[in-house]
Amino acid sequence: MIHVAEIIEGSAIMEKSNGKVSQLSVKQGEPTLVCPAEETEKGLYFLSNLDQNIAVIVRTIYCFKLDEKGNENAGEVIKDALRKVLVHYYPLAGRLTISSEGKLIVDCTGEGAVFVEAEANCKMEEIGDITKPDPETLGKLVYNIPGAKKILEMPPLVAQVTKFQCGGFVLGLCMNHCMFDGIGAMEFVNSWGETARSLPLTIPPFSDRAILKARSPPKIEYLHQEFTEIEDKSSTGDLYKDEMLYRSFCFEPEKLEKLKKNAMGDGVLKKCTTFEALSAFVWRARTHALNMLSDQQTKLLFAVDGRPKFNPPLPKGYFGNGIVLTNSICQAGELFDKPFSHAVGLIQDAIKMVTDGYMRSAIDYFEVTRARPSLSSTLLITTWSRLSFHTTDFGWGEPVLSGPVALPEKEVILFLCQGKERKSINVLLGLPASAMKVFQEQMQI
């Protein structure tokens, strides 16, 4: 069973920009269950193998503030809209269980999502820099089910509305990734906002996940090295005994352009996207920072949106995981000694590999092996820069800030959009202190 990061307790100390230290203390009310507003389908709800693969808990926060509108009725409005939107998204009101095949499945009991109202002892701007995942502080803005350590003990959706003294409020969500990927979660949260504003849903959910059932008999037609366990010859595991540091690095449009130019400088590549150049850059830098031996194999994993790549494409509003993990594996020495274009080329090849056949084969691979992707000697890049969470509006305008509470695993690097026009990308990661020093040096372009 997958265990979730330690439950966060106690009050967090924050260093404000003026150097003073303040404490965020959040007083949570009693949790209530929010059931769908109308009778919904009951029984077992199938989760595909793409859902099984990433059953991790994702915690996110959305900060809202509108000067001409206070936060007095924020909890009420959001709770009422949740009752209505759950009619469309009824599996979120159920509970996870294990099917007769030993896989995750949702028992649509209709017992409801967990909802909590809370109050903070400060203004929203005093939380500090939320562009950096900070489980200690930000974790208080998301309700944790007491004593729940395993995912089966956690409802698929937990919501907390925290009111701040400035009239702003934060919506903190705790959701299981097996219910949806980033695009699905974004469509759900945006639908919830539309419901709060009494608007019809722009994208109603398509709920039938059986369209991604494994084939019978299963056909594994690819290598699927995303599941390969790599031997840690370089003993990087020992480095992680050191204190972990979390940092964010902002790449402005000029920097991103420069990276793309560098990637195409030797004429090997004809084109290169921002994602390809930035991923290659941080993969090289992190491999270097972790001091990997040149014959150490290293793997890069990242998700590709399979929705348009399936044949036929997945229906609009597909409510589930439509992402597939693809990978590049090479020796660390290759990343160091070969030109930058080589690393970018490896990423381009990994993207090209994702076809309908590859994705169906990945679904069948899980059916046969029940394997989960291995993170040994691996970097997993998660991209939120293409998700429009910033458009969510419950009647208080778009969020002034939104983002994750914590990085799910030490091997994960997150790409988030930054700035007014969202053209900059913030790269968030955690590394052992000694490695972070080297990584920071590598970030100079």
Side-chain angles (χ1 to χ4, degrees), residues 185-220:
M186 174 186 81
E187 287 173 355
F188 162 67
V189 175
N190 285 345
S191 296
W192 185 358
E194 287 171 336
T195 306
R197 288 178 291 139
S198 305
L199 298 172
L201 303 194
T202 311
I203 305 177
F206 178 91
S207 299
D208 182 13
R209 303 189 187 198
I211 57 172
L212 292 185
K213 262 200 157 88
R215 294 171 290 197
S216 182
K219 286 203 294 241
I220 300 170

Side-chain angles (χ1 to χ4, degrees), residues 298-365:
T298 170
K299 176 168 56 176
L300 174 70
L301 281 181
F302 58 92
V304 172
D305 179 21
R307 285 168 172 74
K309 293 175 180 266
F310 276 105
N311 187 8
L314 293 186
K316 199 172 158 62
Y318 178 76
F319 161 41
N321 286 279
I323 53 171
V324 177
L325 285 175
T326 185
N327 70 88
S328 284
I329 289 190
C330 71
Q331 291 196 330
E334 258 182 74
L335 290 181
F336 306 146
D337 306 334
K338 293 195 174 176
F340 184 44
S341 59
H342 176 72
V344 176
L346 289 175
I347 292 170
Q348 292 182 342
D349 293 343
I351 295 170
K352 278 190 206 112
M353 188 160 73
V354 182
T355 58
D356 180 74
Y358 176 84
M359 296 187 289
R360 299 274 174 200
S361 172
I363 289 169
D364 292 357
Y365 187 95

Side-chain angles (χ1 to χ4, degrees), residues 37-242:
E38 297 162 26
E39 195 54 41
T40 52
E41 239 175 279
K42 298 289 182 284
L44 295 175
Y45 176 75
F46 171 80
L47 296 177
S48 85
N49 287 351
L50 297 184
D51 299 318
Q52 308 288 332
N53 245 340
I54 27 186
V56 294
I57 299 296
V58 182
R59 296 182 173 92
T60 48
I61 56 173
Y62 306 82
C63 307
F64 296 95
K65 190 173 180 200
L66 195 59
D67 290 338
E68 59 273 24
K69 185 174 178 179
N71 59 12
E72 299 71 37
N73 65 343
E76 211 175 301
V77 168
I78 290 175
K79 185 177 183 177
D80 189 51
L82 179 58
R83 288 175 51 244
K84 294 172 185 161
V85 82
L86 284 176
V87 174
H88 303 277
Y89 284 90
Y90 66 90
L92 292 176
R95 292 296 178 264
L96 285 169
T97 184
I98 299 292
S99 73
S100 53
E101 297 179 315
K103 287 202 234 173
L104 283 173
I105 194 163
V106 182
D107 187 2
C108 295
T109 55
E111 62 193 275
V114 174
F115 188 86
V116 176
E117 289 197 57
E119 284 186 17
N121 66 336
C122 62
K123 294 178 180 163
M124 211 157 63
E125 51 271 28
E126 291 177 49
I127 312 178
D129 179 10
I130 87 143
T131 58
K132 239 193 2 243
D134 170 13
E136 182 84 66
T137 302
L138 304 181
K140 296 169 168 209
L141 303 171
V142 179
Y143 183 70
N144 281 301
I145 305 291
K149 286 276 195 281
K150 299 188 175 76
I151 55 172
L152 292 183
E153 295 163 353
M154 299 183 183
L157 173 65
V158 177
Q160 175 177 320
V161 172
T162 307
K163 295 179 192 173
F164 283 78
Q165 289 170 350
C166 56
F169 67 91
V170 171
L171 172 63
L173 298 180
C174 175
M175 302 190 278
N176 194 314
H177 209 312
C178 70
M179 297 312 286
F180 25 44
D181 56 22
I183 292 171
M186 174 186 81
E187 287 173 355
F188 162 67
V189 175
N190 285 345
S191 296
W192 185 358
E194 287 171 336
T195 306
R197 288 178 291 139
S198 305
L199 298 172
L201 303 194
T202 311
I203 305 177
F206 178 91
S207 299
D208 182 13
R209 303 189 187 198
I211 57 172
L212 292 185
K213 262 200 157 88
R215 294 171 290 197
S216 182
K219 286 203 294 241
I220 300 170
E221 298 164 310
Y222 290 81
L223 249 182
H224 296 296
Q225 286 184 295
E226 61 270 35
F227 301 98
T228 307
E229 188 80 33
I230 296 175
E231 185 198 341
D232 179 18
K233 283 185 181 175
S234 315
S235 311
T236 49
D238 295 347
L239 281 179
Y240 280 97
K241 291 173 185 155
D242 195 359

